[in-house]
Amino acid sequence: MAVGEFELIEEYFRQGGGGLGVALGIGDDCALLQVPAGRQLAVSMDTLVGGIHFPKNADPELIAERALRVNLSDLAAMGAEPLWFTLGLTLPEADKQWIKGFSEGLFRVANEYNIALVGGDTTKGALAMTIQVHGAVEPDKALLRSGARAGDLIFTTGCVGDGAGALAVIKQELEVGKSAFNYLMQHYYRPEPQIAAGSLLVGLATSAIDISDGLLADLGHICTESGVGAELRLEQLPLSDPLKKLVPREQAFDWALAGGDDYQLCFTLPKQNLPRLEQLIDQHKLEAHHVGEVVQGSGITCLHKGELFEVGSHGYQHF
Ligand code: ADP
Ligand code: MG
């Protein structure tokens, strides 16, 4: 974007300054960054395209919040501490009001999670943004997808299913009252990356993943990478009160299992670490719900009160 690009960057993106290990931030050809001594760099990138990953006419503050939050969620899933991020922003026009709102939402989240914007690129085209996050982990301590073992317990850090519920509302497939609407939109645009939980799980959990594509798909990645299977007990799934009131239980299960956009962590825990996890839960340092077991073999079995539950077979509306 030629006209006003530098002014826009100066005014709306060159702020916050500082940041751990930032020797040189925005303004030169590259940023210069010092990885904290003795730590590994965890790097992840996500692209959000207008009209696909969020409605094009959504509030720019919320778009920015969501974009950075879902990226932070990947750092959380590795047990990494946020350090820096870069932003590739493609805009159809240089609408100052839009960019101002976007920048406000972006820095609100950046400040909350202590992550510094250190560079990026701004181009003209269809609305899209790519964020790359960088975090620090202790060498060989990152939470991988590949460490689950038969006998481990499976947990989620918070409620599942709200993301899919919110999407149904956004797509106007589900009509809800004001308070449920506000709850679901808050959840969709401002998911809480489980950074604190991720770092507490380092050394405790054998594997972890953030739930972006639904529990079945994401736990499925853990199973595949670890060479194990899983059994889920649906009556133990943490469902939010608003979701339970909105739709029949089977629909909520379907959303929790096959929906997405929840951004909680799913992790596996060896039984001998249960007392330590329970201690963290009692101390309110961590929320975690036991939802199943890792088993030998492959694939995921869903049981509801001991009966086999087939996802998506209940004749309710889908996505
Ligand atoms: P170059 O032409 O060398 O790629 P740019 O004009 O694209 O440089 O960028 C100038 C500076 O502004 C760089 O430090 C770059 O990282 C930063 N920058 C550009 N766009 C953004 C953005 N959307 N967010 C943050 N920093 C940006
Ligand atoms: Mg550039």
Side-chain angles (χ1 to χ4, degrees):
M1 191 189 305
V3 185
E5 181 194 347
F6 298 107
E7 292 77 8
L8 285 178
I9 294 167
E10 279 298 319
E11 190 168 351
Y12 295 114
F13 293 114
R14 195 169 180 178
Q15 47 173 283
L20 187 68
V22 181
L24 185 66
I26 291 174
D28 214 311
D29 294 311
C30 294
L32 296 174
L33 307 167
Q34 185 65 53
V35 179
R39 322 265 312 265
Q40 272 179 339
L41 198 59
V43 180
S44 175
M45 177 188 274
D46 264 308
T47 296
L48 279 78
V49 178
I52 296 177
H53 300 103
F54 59 86
K56 280 186 190 165
N57 62 356
D59 180 346
E61 275 186 55
L62 295 181
I63 296 173
E65 284 232 7
R66 178 168 157 78
L68 185 50
R69 286 169 178 276
V70 302
N71 272 279
L72 283 162
S73 179
D74 284 315
L75 289 181
M78 299 297 281
E81 173 199 351
L83 292 173
W84 318 303
F85 71 107
T86 53
L87 167 69
L89 189 57
T90 307
L91 300 172
E93 54 185 345
D95 177 344
K96 262 197 153 188
Q97 219 35 49
W98 193 97
I99 296 170
K100 179 169 183 283
F102 184 86
S103 141
E104 282 169 6
L106 192 73
F107 283 101
R108 192 159 55 231
V109 180
N111 294 335
E112 182 180 341
Y113 289 91
N114 211 10
I115 187 165
L117 179 61
V118 296
D121 199 20
T122 310
T123 50
K124 191 176 166 113
L127 179 63
M129 63 218 55
T130 297
I131 288 178
Q132 184 169 44
V133 285
H134 305 73
V137 281
E138 297 296 328
D140 306 320
K141 292 276 173 65
L143 301 169
L144 307 184
R145 298 177 178 186
S146 53
R149 296 293 169 259
D152 286 355
L153 306 171
I154 304 171
F155 289 83
T156 65
T157 50
C159 290
V160 282
D162 288 340
L167 206 56
V169 171
I170 289 171
K171 288 182 175 169
Q172 300 181 329
E173 294 167 0
L174 180 70
E175 261 186 56
V176 298
K178 195 165 189 302
S179 91
F181 180 85
N182 289 343
Y183 171 84
L184 291 173
M185 289 309 107
Q186 170 79 5
H187 181 89
Y188 184 80
Y189 285 109
R190 309 189 70 228
E192 285 180 31
Q194 298 295 304
I195 297 287
S199 85
L200 287 168
L201 291 171
V202 169
L204 272 188
T206 44
S207 72
I209 192 166
D210 66 321
I211 308 174
S212 53
D213 298 327
L215 186 54
L216 279 188
D218 291 313
L219 176 60
H221 294 311
I222 287 184
C223 288
T224 305
E225 293 300 317
S226 301
V228 294
E231 266 181 31
L232 288 175
R233 302 186 195 293
L234 303 193
E235 65 279 8
Q236 289 169 221
L237 281 184
L239 302 173
S240 72
D241 288 335
L243 198 70
K244 280 193 277 197
K245 282 191 201 143
L246 276 177
V247 292
R249 196 58 54 102
E250 287 80 2
Q251 174 72 87
F253 287 158
D254 278 357
W255 278 346
L257 294 166
D261 293 313
D262 284 320
Y263 300 105
Q264 295 294 337
L265 299 183
C266 171
F267 65 92
T268 57
L269 188 88
K271 286 204 179 87
Q272 70 266 23
N273 289 348
L274 190 56
R276 178 78 190 112
L277 182 76
E278 284 173 339
Q279 194 179 34
L280 290 170
I281 294 170
D282 289 344
Q283 293 167 343
H284 303 288
K285 289 183 177 160
L286 188 80
E287 187 185 335
H289 306 268
H290 175 218
V291 297
E293 273 78 39
V294 179
V295 298
Q296 285 179 351
S298 64
I300 302 173
T301 308
C302 296
L303 299 171
H304 183 219
K305 299 180 178 162
E307 305 263 313
L308 210 57
F309 181 93
E310 267 186 62
V311 181
S313 66
H314 304 277
Y316 295 102
Q317 194 175 5
H318 284 284
F319 26 84

PDB file of all heavy atoms in Angstrom, residues 5-6 9-10 13-14 25-31 85-89 102 106-107 117-123, ligand 1:
ATOM      1  N   GLU A   5       1.371   4.613   3.807  1.00  0.00           N
ATOM      2  CA  GLU A   5       1.717   3.378   4.520  1.00  0.00           C
ATOM      3  C   GLU A   5       2.590   3.656   5.732  1.00  0.00           C
ATOM      4  O   GLU A   5       2.335   3.176   6.835  1.00  0.00           O
ATOM      5  CB  GLU A   5       2.434   2.404   3.568  1.00  0.00           C
ATOM      6  CG  GLU A   5       2.782   1.102   4.258  1.00  0.00           C
ATOM      7  CD  GLU A   5       3.777   0.263   3.462  1.00  0.00           C
ATOM      8  OE1 GLU A   5       4.022   0.553   2.283  1.00  0.00           O
ATOM      9  OE2 GLU A   5       4.300  -0.688   4.055  1.00  0.00           O
ATOM     10  N   PHE A   6       3.608   4.493   5.509  1.00  0.00           N
ATOM     11  CA  PHE A   6       4.555   4.730   6.613  1.00  0.00           C
ATOM     12  C   PHE A   6       3.879   5.474   7.758  1.00  0.00           C
ATOM     13  O   PHE A   6       4.098   5.174   8.921  1.00  0.00           O
ATOM     14  CB  PHE A   6       5.784   5.483   6.098  1.00  0.00           C
ATOM     15  CG  PHE A   6       6.516   4.682   5.067  1.00  0.00           C
ATOM     16  CD1 PHE A   6       6.473   5.026   3.730  1.00  0.00           C
ATOM     17  CD2 PHE A   6       7.227   3.538   5.437  1.00  0.00           C
ATOM     18  CE1 PHE A   6       7.117   4.255   2.778  1.00  0.00           C
ATOM     19  CE2 PHE A   6       7.877   2.767   4.497  1.00  0.00           C
ATOM     20  CZ  PHE A   6       7.822   3.123   3.150  1.00  0.00           C
ATOM     21  N   ILE A   9       1.767   3.075   9.729  1.00  0.00           N
ATOM     22  CA  ILE A   9       2.569   2.203  10.602  1.00  0.00           C
ATOM     23  C   ILE A   9       3.057   3.002  11.807  1.00  0.00           C
ATOM     24  O   ILE A   9       2.945   2.559  12.949  1.00  0.00           O
ATOM     25  CB  ILE A   9       3.749   1.599   9.814  1.00  0.00           C
ATOM     26  CG1 ILE A   9       3.208   0.651   8.744  1.00  0.00           C
ATOM     27  CG2 ILE A   9       4.698   0.854  10.738  1.00  0.00           C
ATOM     28  CD1 ILE A   9       4.214   0.239   7.703  1.00  0.00           C
ATOM     29  N   GLU A  10       3.575   4.201  11.516  1.00  0.00           N
ATOM     30  CA  GLU A  10       4.066   5.054  12.613  1.00  0.00           C
ATOM     31  C   GLU A  10       2.964   5.326  13.632  1.00  0.00           C
ATOM     32  O   GLU A  10       3.158   5.215  14.829  1.00  0.00           O
ATOM     33  CB  GLU A  10       4.541   6.407  12.049  1.00  0.00           C
ATOM     34  CG  GLU A  10       5.914   6.387  11.457  1.00  0.00           C
ATOM     35  CD  GLU A  10       6.995   6.033  12.472  1.00  0.00           C
ATOM     36  OE1 GLU A  10       6.924   6.517  13.624  1.00  0.00           O
ATOM     37  OE2 GLU A  10       7.902   5.262  12.106  1.00  0.00           O
ATOM     38  N   PHE A  13       0.945   1.331  14.543  1.00  0.00           N
ATOM     39  CA  PHE A  13       1.581   0.057  14.885  1.00  0.00           C
ATOM     40  C   PHE A  13       2.908   0.189  15.614  1.00  0.00           C
ATOM     41  O   PHE A  13       3.366  -0.757  16.234  1.00  0.00           O
ATOM     42  CB  PHE A  13       1.750  -0.793  13.613  1.00  0.00           C
ATOM     43  CG  PHE A  13       0.431  -1.217  13.048  1.00  0.00           C
ATOM     44  CD1 PHE A  13       0.005  -0.760  11.814  1.00  0.00           C
ATOM     45  CD2 PHE A  13      -0.398  -2.039  13.784  1.00  0.00           C
ATOM     46  CE1 PHE A  13      -1.245  -1.135  11.314  1.00  0.00           C
ATOM     47  CE2 PHE A  13      -1.641  -2.415  13.297  1.00  0.00           C
ATOM     48  CZ  PHE A  13      -2.067  -1.961  12.059  1.00  0.00           C
ATOM     49  N   ARG A  14       3.515   1.388  15.519  1.00  0.00           N
ATOM     50  CA  ARG A  14       4.802   1.552  16.186  1.00  0.00           C
ATOM     51  C   ARG A  14       4.551   2.074  17.601  1.00  0.00           C
ATOM     52  O   ARG A  14       4.714   3.247  17.891  1.00  0.00           O
ATOM     53  CB  ARG A  14       5.677   2.520  15.404  1.00  0.00           C
ATOM     54  CG  ARG A  14       7.126   2.443  15.837  1.00  0.00           C
ATOM     55  CD  ARG A  14       7.994   3.210  14.857  1.00  0.00           C
ATOM     56  NE  ARG A  14       9.387   3.165  15.246  1.00  0.00           N
ATOM     57  CZ  ARG A  14      10.351   3.719  14.548  1.00  0.00           C
ATOM     58  NH1 ARG A  14      10.066   4.357  13.435  1.00  0.00           N
ATOM     59  NH2 ARG A  14      11.599   3.632  14.964  1.00  0.00           N
ATOM     60  N   GLY A  25      13.176  -2.771  17.188  1.00  0.00           N
ATOM     61  CA  GLY A  25      11.798  -3.121  16.829  1.00  0.00           C
ATOM     62  C   GLY A  25      11.416  -2.606  15.448  1.00  0.00           C
ATOM     63  O   GLY A  25      12.230  -2.641  14.515  1.00  0.00           O
ATOM     64  N   ILE A  26      10.179  -2.115  15.306  1.00  0.00           N
ATOM     65  CA  ILE A  26       9.657  -1.643  14.016  1.00  0.00           C
ATOM     66  C   ILE A  26      10.442  -0.433  13.519  1.00  0.00           C
ATOM     67  O   ILE A  26      10.824   0.412  14.307  1.00  0.00           O
ATOM     68  CB  ILE A  26       8.162  -1.264  14.186  1.00  0.00           C
ATOM     69  CG1 ILE A  26       7.334  -2.530  14.419  1.00  0.00           C
ATOM     70  CG2 ILE A  26       7.646  -0.487  12.990  1.00  0.00           C
ATOM     71  CD1 ILE A  26       5.883  -2.249  14.749  1.00  0.00           C
ATOM     72  N   GLY A  27      10.663  -0.361  12.199  1.00  0.00           N
ATOM     73  CA  GLY A  27      11.223   0.848  11.616  1.00  0.00           C
ATOM     74  C   GLY A  27      12.411   0.607  10.704  1.00  0.00           C
ATOM     75  O   GLY A  27      12.707   1.411   9.835  1.00  0.00           O
ATOM     76  N   ASP A  28      13.107  -0.484  10.867  1.00  0.00           N
ATOM     77  CA  ASP A  28      14.245  -0.772   9.972  1.00  0.00           C
ATOM     78  C   ASP A  28      13.854  -1.927   9.049  1.00  0.00           C
ATOM     79  O   ASP A  28      12.704  -2.353   9.025  1.00  0.00           O
ATOM     80  CB  ASP A  28      15.493  -1.100  10.805  1.00  0.00           C
ATOM     81  CG  ASP A  28      16.759  -0.599  10.115  1.00  0.00           C
ATOM     82  OD1 ASP A  28      16.913  -0.881   8.908  1.00  0.00           O
ATOM     83  OD2 ASP A  28      17.577   0.074  10.773  1.00  0.00           O
ATOM     84  N   ASP A  29      14.798  -2.452   8.319  1.00  0.00           N
ATOM     85  CA  ASP A  29      14.486  -3.538   7.390  1.00  0.00           C
ATOM     86  C   ASP A  29      14.163  -4.834   8.119  1.00  0.00           C
ATOM     87  O   ASP A  29      13.399  -5.662   7.629  1.00  0.00           O
ATOM     88  CB  ASP A  29      15.646  -3.752   6.424  1.00  0.00           C
ATOM     89  CG  ASP A  29      15.828  -2.538   5.524  1.00  0.00           C
ATOM     90  OD1 ASP A  29      14.813  -2.085   4.964  1.00  0.00           O
ATOM     91  OD2 ASP A  29      16.943  -2.033   5.421  1.00  0.00           O
ATOM     92  N   CYS A  30      14.782  -5.027   9.259  1.00  0.00           N
ATOM     93  CA  CYS A  30      14.502  -6.198  10.106  1.00  0.00           C
ATOM     94  C   CYS A  30      14.409  -5.742  11.561  1.00  0.00           C
ATOM     95  O   CYS A  30      14.969  -4.714  11.930  1.00  0.00           O
ATOM     96  CB  CYS A  30      15.645  -7.211  10.027  1.00  0.00           C
ATOM     97  SG  CYS A  30      15.873  -7.992   8.434  1.00  0.00           S
ATOM     98  N   ALA A  31      13.756  -6.541  12.350  1.00  0.00           N
ATOM     99  CA  ALA A  31      13.870  -6.382  13.802  1.00  0.00           C
ATOM    100  C   ALA A  31      15.071  -7.201  14.261  1.00  0.00           C
ATOM    101  O   ALA A  31      15.450  -8.176  13.608  1.00  0.00           O
ATOM    102  CB  ALA A  31      12.600  -6.885  14.473  1.00  0.00           C
ATOM    103  N   PHE A  85       5.667 -10.715  18.226  1.00  0.00           N
ATOM    104  CA  PHE A  85       4.890 -11.143  17.063  1.00  0.00           C
ATOM    105  C   PHE A  85       5.095 -10.181  15.906  1.00  0.00           C
ATOM    106  O   PHE A  85       5.485  -9.031  16.085  1.00  0.00           O
ATOM    107  CB  PHE A  85       3.407 -11.323  17.389  1.00  0.00           C
ATOM    108  CG  PHE A  85       2.602 -10.067  17.643  1.00  0.00           C
ATOM    109  CD1 PHE A  85       1.691  -9.614  16.691  1.00  0.00           C
ATOM    110  CD2 PHE A  85       2.707  -9.368  18.832  1.00  0.00           C
ATOM    111  CE1 PHE A  85       0.902  -8.491  16.931  1.00  0.00           C
ATOM    112  CE2 PHE A  85       1.940  -8.229  19.078  1.00  0.00           C
ATOM    113  CZ  PHE A  85       1.039  -7.790  18.123  1.00  0.00           C
ATOM    114  N   THR A  86       4.863 -10.702  14.685  1.00  0.00           N
ATOM    115  CA  THR A  86       4.854  -9.872  13.485  1.00  0.00           C
ATOM    116  C   THR A  86       3.478  -9.955  12.854  1.00  0.00           C
ATOM    117  O   THR A  86       2.733 -10.906  13.084  1.00  0.00           O
ATOM    118  CB  THR A  86       5.926 -10.326  12.469  1.00  0.00           C
ATOM    119  OG1 THR A  86       5.742 -11.728  12.214  1.00  0.00           O
ATOM    120  CG2 THR A  86       7.331 -10.096  12.988  1.00  0.00           C
ATOM    121  N   LEU A  87       3.145  -8.941  12.064  1.00  0.00           N
ATOM    122  CA  LEU A  87       1.794  -8.819  11.504  1.00  0.00           C
ATOM    123  C   LEU A  87       1.857  -8.525  10.018  1.00  0.00           C
ATOM    124  O   LEU A  87       2.406  -7.505   9.603  1.00  0.00           O
ATOM    125  CB  LEU A  87       1.068  -7.665  12.222  1.00  0.00           C
ATOM    126  CG  LEU A  87      -0.226  -7.160  11.587  1.00  0.00           C
ATOM    127  CD1 LEU A  87      -1.325  -8.198  11.709  1.00  0.00           C
ATOM    128  CD2 LEU A  87      -0.664  -5.854  12.240  1.00  0.00           C
ATOM    129  N   GLY A  88       1.306  -9.412   9.203  1.00  0.00           N
ATOM    130  CA  GLY A  88       1.122  -9.146   7.778  1.00  0.00           C
ATOM    131  C   GLY A  88      -0.327  -8.754   7.578  1.00  0.00           C
ATOM    132  O   GLY A  88      -1.231  -9.548   7.833  1.00  0.00           O
ATOM    133  N   LEU A  89      -0.550  -7.511   7.159  1.00  0.00           N
ATOM    134  CA  LEU A  89      -1.916  -6.993   7.072  1.00  0.00           C
ATOM    135  C   LEU A  89      -2.235  -6.626   5.629  1.00  0.00           C
ATOM    136  O   LEU A  89      -1.509  -5.843   5.013  1.00  0.00           O
ATOM    137  CB  LEU A  89      -2.017  -5.756   7.978  1.00  0.00           C
ATOM    138  CG  LEU A  89      -3.381  -5.150   8.240  1.00  0.00           C
ATOM    139  CD1 LEU A  89      -4.339  -6.166   8.838  1.00  0.00           C
ATOM    140  CD2 LEU A  89      -3.235  -3.952   9.178  1.00  0.00           C
ATOM    141  N   PHE A 102      -8.547  -1.476  14.758  1.00  0.00           N
ATOM    142  CA  PHE A 102      -7.756  -2.714  14.686  1.00  0.00           C
ATOM    143  C   PHE A 102      -6.543  -2.621  15.615  1.00  0.00           C
ATOM    144  O   PHE A 102      -6.270  -3.526  16.398  1.00  0.00           O
ATOM    145  CB  PHE A 102      -7.305  -2.940  13.238  1.00  0.00           C
ATOM    146  CG  PHE A 102      -6.573  -4.226  13.030  1.00  0.00           C
ATOM    147  CD1 PHE A 102      -7.264  -5.402  12.769  1.00  0.00           C
ATOM    148  CD2 PHE A 102      -5.183  -4.270  13.093  1.00  0.00           C
ATOM    149  CE1 PHE A 102      -6.584  -6.600  12.581  1.00  0.00           C
ATOM    150  CE2 PHE A 102      -4.502  -5.457  12.909  1.00  0.00           C
ATOM    151  CZ  PHE A 102      -5.200  -6.628  12.654  1.00  0.00           C
ATOM    152  N   LEU A 106      -5.614  -4.826  18.893  1.00  0.00           N
ATOM    153  CA  LEU A 106      -4.359  -5.578  18.835  1.00  0.00           C
ATOM    154  C   LEU A 106      -3.495  -5.297  20.069  1.00  0.00           C
ATOM    155  O   LEU A 106      -3.002  -6.226  20.725  1.00  0.00           O
ATOM    156  CB  LEU A 106      -3.605  -5.180  17.563  1.00  0.00           C
ATOM    157  CG  LEU A 106      -2.427  -6.041  17.186  1.00  0.00           C
ATOM    158  CD1 LEU A 106      -2.922  -7.388  16.663  1.00  0.00           C
ATOM    159  CD2 LEU A 106      -1.582  -5.357  16.109  1.00  0.00           C
ATOM    160  N   PHE A 107      -3.323  -4.021  20.393  1.00  0.00           N
ATOM    161  CA  PHE A 107      -2.424  -3.692  21.506  1.00  0.00           C
ATOM    162  C   PHE A 107      -3.058  -3.992  22.861  1.00  0.00           C
ATOM    163  O   PHE A 107      -2.346  -4.224  23.836  1.00  0.00           O
ATOM    164  CB  PHE A 107      -1.935  -2.239  21.401  1.00  0.00           C
ATOM    165  CG  PHE A 107      -0.862  -2.109  20.353  1.00  0.00           C
ATOM    166  CD1 PHE A 107      -1.153  -1.615  19.097  1.00  0.00           C
ATOM    167  CD2 PHE A 107       0.427  -2.552  20.612  1.00  0.00           C
ATOM    168  CE1 PHE A 107      -0.179  -1.538  18.123  1.00  0.00           C
ATOM    169  CE2 PHE A 107       1.415  -2.488  19.643  1.00  0.00           C
ATOM    170  CZ  PHE A 107       1.111  -1.978  18.395  1.00  0.00           C
ATOM    171  N   LEU A 117       4.884  -6.285  19.397  1.00  0.00           N
ATOM    172  CA  LEU A 117       4.843  -6.246  17.932  1.00  0.00           C
ATOM    173  C   LEU A 117       6.198  -5.725  17.443  1.00  0.00           C
ATOM    174  O   LEU A 117       6.582  -4.610  17.793  1.00  0.00           O
ATOM    175  CB  LEU A 117       3.708  -5.332  17.452  1.00  0.00           C
ATOM    176  CG  LEU A 117       3.551  -5.171  15.937  1.00  0.00           C
ATOM    177  CD1 LEU A 117       3.250  -6.505  15.266  1.00  0.00           C
ATOM    178  CD2 LEU A 117       2.460  -4.158  15.606  1.00  0.00           C
ATOM    179  N   VAL A 118       6.906  -6.524  16.662  1.00  0.00           N
ATOM    180  CA  VAL A 118       8.270  -6.141  16.279  1.00  0.00           C
ATOM    181  C   VAL A 118       8.437  -5.929  14.768  1.00  0.00           C
ATOM    182  O   VAL A 118       9.533  -5.613  14.317  1.00  0.00           O
ATOM    183  CB  VAL A 118       9.306  -7.180  16.764  1.00  0.00           C
ATOM    184  CG1 VAL A 118       9.339  -7.238  18.286  1.00  0.00           C
ATOM    185  CG2 VAL A 118       9.015  -8.559  16.167  1.00  0.00           C
ATOM    186  N   GLY A 119       7.361  -6.101  14.000  1.00  0.00           N
ATOM    187  CA  GLY A 119       7.496  -5.871  12.574  1.00  0.00           C
ATOM    188  C   GLY A 119       6.297  -6.395  11.824  1.00  0.00           C
ATOM    189  O   GLY A 119       5.347  -6.915  12.425  1.00  0.00           O
ATOM    190  N   GLY A 120       6.354  -6.248  10.502  1.00  0.00           N
ATOM    191  CA  GLY A 120       5.242  -6.743   9.708  1.00  0.00           C
ATOM    192  C   GLY A 120       5.320  -6.258   8.291  1.00  0.00           C
ATOM    193  O   GLY A 120       6.378  -5.826   7.829  1.00  0.00           O
ATOM    194  N   ASP A 121       4.196  -6.343   7.607  1.00  0.00           N
ATOM    195  CA  ASP A 121       4.127  -5.880   6.239  1.00  0.00           C
ATOM    196  C   ASP A 121       2.691  -5.435   6.002  1.00  0.00           C
ATOM    197  O   ASP A 121       1.757  -6.027   6.550  1.00  0.00           O
ATOM    198  CB  ASP A 121       4.523  -7.023   5.289  1.00  0.00           C
ATOM    199  CG  ASP A 121       4.913  -6.505   3.917  1.00  0.00           C
ATOM    200  OD1 ASP A 121       5.235  -5.296   3.813  1.00  0.00           O
ATOM    201  OD2 ASP A 121       4.894  -7.298   2.972  1.00  0.00           O
ATOM    202  N   THR A 122       2.535  -4.382   5.201  1.00  0.00           N
ATOM    203  CA  THR A 122       1.199  -3.861   4.945  1.00  0.00           C
ATOM    204  C   THR A 122       0.993  -3.796   3.441  1.00  0.00           C
ATOM    205  O   THR A 122       1.813  -3.205   2.743  1.00  0.00           O
ATOM    206  CB  THR A 122       1.064  -2.455   5.576  1.00  0.00           C
ATOM    207  OG1 THR A 122       1.506  -2.519   6.928  1.00  0.00           O
ATOM    208  CG2 THR A 122      -0.375  -1.983   5.545  1.00  0.00           C
ATOM    209  N   THR A 123      -0.074  -4.438   2.973  1.00  0.00           N
ATOM    210  CA  THR A 123      -0.297  -4.487   1.535  1.00  0.00           C
ATOM    211  C   THR A 123      -1.774  -4.232   1.215  1.00  0.00           C
ATOM    212  O   THR A 123      -2.623  -4.317   2.093  1.00  0.00           O
ATOM    213  CB  THR A 123       0.066  -5.876   0.960  1.00  0.00           C
ATOM    214  OG1 THR A 123      -0.584  -6.876   1.754  1.00  0.00           O
ATOM    215  CG2 THR A 123       1.564  -6.124   0.987  1.00  0.00           C
TER     216      THR A 123
HETATM  217  P1  ADP B   1      10.348  -3.034   3.618  1.00  0.00           P
HETATM  218  O1  ADP B   1       9.911  -2.318   2.403  1.00  0.00           O
HETATM  219  O2  ADP B   1      11.800  -2.999   3.915  1.00  0.00           O
HETATM  220  O3  ADP B   1       9.723  -4.413   3.716  1.00  0.00           O
HETATM  221  P2  ADP B   1       8.220  -1.857   5.037  1.00  0.00           P
HETATM  222  O4  ADP B   1       7.946  -0.523   4.472  1.00  0.00           O
HETATM  223  O5  ADP B   1       7.355  -2.982   4.620  1.00  0.00           O
HETATM  224  O6  ADP B   1       9.745  -2.199   4.841  1.00  0.00           O
HETATM  225  O7  ADP B   1       8.145  -1.752   6.619  1.00  0.00           O
HETATM  226  C1  ADP B   1       8.816  -0.727   7.332  1.00  0.00           C
HETATM  227  C2  ADP B   1       8.836  -1.131   8.787  1.00  0.00           C
HETATM  228  O8  ADP B   1       7.511  -1.190   9.290  1.00  0.00           O
HETATM  229  C3  ADP B   1       9.460  -2.487   9.057  1.00  0.00           C
HETATM  230  O9  ADP B   1      10.148  -2.430  10.283  1.00  0.00           O
HETATM  231  C4  ADP B   1       8.267  -3.406   9.146  1.00  0.00           C
HETATM  232  O10 ADP B   1       8.549  -4.519   9.960  1.00  0.00           O
HETATM  233  C5  ADP B   1       7.222  -2.487   9.774  1.00  0.00           C
HETATM  234  N1  ADP B   1       5.831  -2.829   9.411  1.00  0.00           N
HETATM  235  C6  ADP B   1       5.252  -2.772   8.180  1.00  0.00           C
HETATM  236  N2  ADP B   1       3.946  -3.139   8.243  1.00  0.00           N
HETATM  237  C7  ADP B   1       3.703  -3.424   9.530  1.00  0.00           C
HETATM  238  C8  ADP B   1       2.555  -3.882  10.244  1.00  0.00           C
HETATM  239  N3  ADP B   1       1.372  -4.112   9.636  1.00  0.00           N
HETATM  240  N4  ADP B   1       2.688  -4.084  11.565  1.00  0.00           N
HETATM  241  C9  ADP B   1       3.865  -3.887  12.173  1.00  0.00           C
HETATM  242  N5  ADP B   1       4.963  -3.456  11.589  1.00  0.00           N
HETATM  243  C10 ADP B   1       4.906  -3.218  10.269  1.00  0.00           C
END
